[in-house]
Amino acid sequence: WCRMIPRSFQPLAAAVAATSMWACSPSLDWREVRPLDSSVVALFPCKPSGQERRVLMAGQPVRLTLLACEAGGLTWSLALADMANPAASTARSSSAGGAAAANIDATTVEPTALQVRGATPHPQSARLRLAGHRPDGRAAQMQAAFFTHGTWVYQVTVLGEQVRAEDADTFFAALRFIA
């Protein structure tokens, strides 16, 4: 193709071609993920790995499932647990935002309304934009969403030095429940 381009423009043409090829290889490779034993569907920008463990939440032992991956310099995660008791799910939902803020010693907290298709309407459902610092002193931004579905509680998080609004919006807007 270089023979069709005048010599004086060949370096420019090569730079444009290289730039366009770079633009076609995104750092975020979006895919739908549905955790086992759950009806929630999330759109992750990378292939998450999962782990489960027993933890104490709202005073009761529960199985917590965590799916997480790293892409674009950010950590993307979905945590879910069946509280088995509606009162416990309400207690957990109301304390989750404070725990997330404490994790990055947040100095700025901006709550916004959250609606996840198919989620149980709950006054504690929210999306938070947090700014603070990691334990090592580096700046951190976090966006986190908290919602319920029956007795299940969910926390979806994007964490990094700087969270781009468009990427976080894609992540949170795709959340939904299927039958």
Side-chain angles (χ1 to χ4, degrees):
W1 64 271
C2 284
R3 292 176 192 219
M4 298 179 350
I5 299 172
R7 265 198 198 288
S8 61
F9 289 105
Q10 284 180 3
L12 177 61
V16 169
T19 302
S20 66
M21 288 184 355
W22 174 78
C24 292
S25 59
S27 64
L28 303 180
D29 182 16
W30 296 98
R31 76 219 39 232
E32 278 194 356
V33 175
R34 181 178 175 195
L36 293 176
D37 302 326
S38 175
S39 59
V40 71
V41 176
L43 189 65
F44 274 84
C46 42
K47 184 177 180 183
S49 59
Q51 58 180 307
E52 289 185 2
R53 63 181 174 166
R54 304 264 323 151
V55 297
L56 195 61
M57 294 175 79
Q60 70 181 36
V62 297
R63 182 184 70 172
L64 176 74
T65 300
L66 175 66
L67 299 173
C69 60
E70 292 188 13
L74 302 170
T75 301
W76 308 79
S77 67
L78 165 65
L80 56 141
D82 185 0
M83 301 300 291
N85 174 348
S89 65
T90 298
R92 174 60 188 147
S93 294
S94 61
S95 66
N103 283 340
I104 64 165
D105 194 23
T107 54
T108 303
V109 178
E110 297 174 20
T112 59
L114 174 73
Q115 290 186 332
V116 175
R117 288 176 281 164
T120 303
H122 194 282
Q124 300 298 328
S125 294
R127 179 174 167 186
L128 301 177
R129 289 179 176 86
L130 308 162
H133 293 89
R134 296 176 189 248
D136 65 5
R138 290 184 300 150
Q141 289 184 354
M142 177 190 292
Q143 290 199 31
F146 308 94
F147 53 97
T148 62
H149 186 259
T151 58
W152 286 79
V153 293
Y154 298 84
Q155 178 175 332
V156 182
T157 306
V158 182
L159 172 67
E161 191 172 318
Q162 186 169 23
V163 176
R164 286 176 19 124
E166 309 82 59
D167 297 336
D169 290 346
T170 298
F171 190 48
F172 293 114
L175 293 166
R176 71 183 193 284
F177 287 89
I178 58 174

